[in-house]
Every structure is written in C-alpha cells, then in structure tokens.
Amino acid sequence: MILNLNNIHLRRCEAMDFKLDLKEIQKKFNFNTSIKHNPKTNVEFFPYKGTYRESQFNFREVIGEFLRLVGNKRISSEVNSDKFVNDVLESIEFEKIPQKAEFKQMLKTLFIDDNNQLVLFHPQTLYYINTAENENKKLAEFLYAVLWNGETSWSIEKKSIRTNDLMSTLIFSALPNLEDAERQPVKYALFSSEFSELFMSDFKWLSTKQELFTQQFEKLLSYYYFFYVTQIARRNEYLFNTHNQNIIPLYFTFEEEERLSKTRVSYEYGWKNIERSVNRMFSHVNFLKMLNISVQEQKNFYSYQRIAQILQSTTPDVIEQLEEDLESLVMLYKAHWSDVNWSQMEENTSEKHELPILNQLTSLFQIIDYQFNNSQRVKLYNGYKSWFVHFCQKAFLKSRGRSGKMLILNTDYLLFLTKVIIKNESKIRLKRLLEEFEIRGIVFDRDTQIAIVEYFEKLNLLEKKSDSGDAIYVRAFL
C-alpha cells in the first residue's frame, strides 16, 4: 500500500468532512499527564526522534538496509570480520604454516577496512553492510518508502556476479547466507512521487554499471535523501496557502571557488533559504499528526493542501463543529504548559485566508512552534532537526567564515552527478546539463557556473563548437 498525499483514496465520509478527533488526540499525545510530542502513529512522516546522538548515525549502515529492503533480502547473520577471515582460511589447504599467516594478513589488508567492515568490491557486498543502529534502520525504511515507492523488488542475483578470480569466489562462499525476505510494509507517508520517479531513473541506469554502483551508490542515495527532505520541509512552510508544487531548486556553490560572500545569490537562496523550514520540522510533524489522528487508523494522511481543499467545500455546520473542537484543543494545549508565557506570544492574525477556519488552524501551528522555542522543550525541537542537519554538514553544508554556512558541491559529487545525468550519451550540451541539475533541485549562480566550466576545462571534458554557450558540450567520462 503506497501512501501518497497527492492521491489519497478517500472513503465516502472522508470526502465530505474533515474533523479533529479530540478524544484520540488527547489519548495519543497523553494530555492526561505530561504531553508527549511526536507520538507513534501507524504512518510516520520522518524517521527522527527528539534526542540526537552522533554515534548512532552512520549512512553506510543505511545503504545496506536500504538495498536489503529493495531486494526483499536478509542476511542469516551479521558479518563478523574475524569469523569471515577464519572461514576463508578453513576453505584452503596450505602446504606450509607460514603461508597461512601471510594469507591471513593479506585477507585483512585487502578485504577488511579500518572500521573492521567488509571492503565493498562488488554490488552484492553492499548487502553485507551491518546495520547495527536502529536509527539507521529507520532511515533506510523511510528512504525505501519515499524513494522506492512500491517499485518491483530489485536484487543482484548470484548468477549475475561476474567474478573472474578465485579470491572473489572464496570471499563470497565465506559470507553469511543471503535469504529471501517478505516485502516490508510501508511505514512512512509519501508527500509526492516526483522525487521517486527521478530517483528510479537514475538508479536504474547506475545499477547497470557494476563498479560505479558499488563505489558510488551511497552518493546517489544521500543526495536524494537531502533532496526529498529539503523540498518537503519547504512545502510544509506554506501550510494551507495555495502554492506551486513544482520543485524549487536550491543554490549550491562549488568547492573550487575561492571567493564566496553574503552578496552572492547562492548565499541568499542556498542554505539560508531552507534553514528556517528545516528548523521547524518538529512543529510541523506534531501539527500534522494532530490533524490526521482521525484517519490514521486507515493509514490515510492529509497534507495541508488537501485539508484546505476539503474545508473549502465543507458545510457550515461541520465548520462550526470544527471551530468548537479547535478552540477546545487550543485551550487544553496552552493550559498544559504553565512554563510558557503566552502573553508575550505575537500571533500572526492577518487574514491570509478567506475561510476563517484556516486562519485558526494556522494559529494552532504557531502556538505549537512558540511553546517549543520558549521552553526547555527546545532541546527536543533542536534534537529532532539535528538528525538531518548533521547529515547535511557531513555531505553538503560547509562553513565559509563570515559568509556562514553554504551549500557546497564538492568535485566528487559534481563528477558523479554529471555522469548520472549524461548516462549513456557520448556528450551533453552544457546548457542541458545545468537544466538537469536544476530538475534534481540544484542550481548554480553565474560565478559558480564559471568555476564549474573552468574545472571541466582543466579535466579536458569540454567540447566547444563555437564561442556560444549553447554550443559547449561536456563529454562523457569514465
């Protein structure tokens, strides 16, 4: 079952009405004692919790679990490096004892990395990445739901393993058994399928390139993770306002650039442009859960836009009941937090909507967000977003002195994404390459474009038919 907020199947009664289930909200959020934010529901929005621990986050672990979900696979046991090495040694007869010790050292050098994990030398070895932390497993399940989006399972079968050497055969025979597993149920709501469609196009091409897939799949998944979350966080900021659902690209700079300043378009419309949206993710999650409590048992979820559409055609008597329930919810919620000085809260009371109930709902969101930022619960608020922010800092977000944090594409990512865009073509027009980056949520200002062109020239990847920008091509490369 795929939960797409753009294409929700509505039951007859749901097509007519939207309601707040006060009783269930109080039960789920534990109003009777101490309110518990972000309660567990049948379908979640993001895989985070309010306490961030850096030691629990490892994106490599996400890769292994994601591919096992995609292939409906599981490993009979985790890969233990010592047992793995001993199993390989046991399968070989050595003429002399010193040979065994030398071979053991060679195995560890070639096939065990510094983190005591199996070196990735073939796509199927990705299945054997241990996923020790539950938070990494949850992130993999999230990405499986929003990027794989119900596609047919995909796996690397043993018959497709192209190993031409005895050593690889010995390695695979010593690894734990790879078993078939049941397809996992969807646990996360899908806001939009456009991201999964782009991901699948790039994934299918990459999966045909054995070595590239093995070494670079992590880059593909990590970028699409960033892409999905930033776009959804931004869309949620519109709340019930009508807005264009198209992808709004973020400005990236390039690591080869020397001069970066706050006057650049890439600063104003890069991380700074999305930071507020990311910061408020926890408030949106709690607000959306309150709004969706009444349908969560059916595993249906309404986006802000869908709720606005329903309310536009809802009868006055239903609206009146909703207003009463909303007033009660606000009163109960505010009364619970005696540590918040509500008199200092400045609500945005401007009439944004012709339908008053939408303004009242917006006010509830502002109340939720205000209490987080004006109490000790700000720790949960910041902890929740930290799971994503710290990921960004490792992959795309860099501090550039006085210019603050900026989104930066390093040379490895630039070259990898360029390969993914060119795919099997011999070359691509530079203008089209930049357009394809934009489709994937990345845009460059003029200075960054110049820096990228200079970098491509340095690598001898450019082919100029004329001095016109439209006649510049980027050649395919290994």
Side-chain angles (χ1 to χ4, degrees), residues 234 249-251 264-273 407:
R234 170 181 271 170
L250 291 169
Y251 276 85
R264 291 275 295 275
V265 173
S266 54
Y267 171 78
E268 191 66 30
Y269 295 97
W271 179 251
K272 182 183 176 183
N273 186 255
L407 292 172

Side-chain angles (χ1 to χ4, degrees), residues 51-69:
T51 305
Y52 173 74
R53 292 186 178 88
E54 188 169 1
S55 61
Q56 291 181 319
F57 177 76
N58 184 334
F59 202 79
R60 175 166 164 158
E61 288 191 7
V62 177
I63 299 300
E65 184 67 17
F66 177 86
L67 286 175
R68 288 191 289 271
L69 288 169

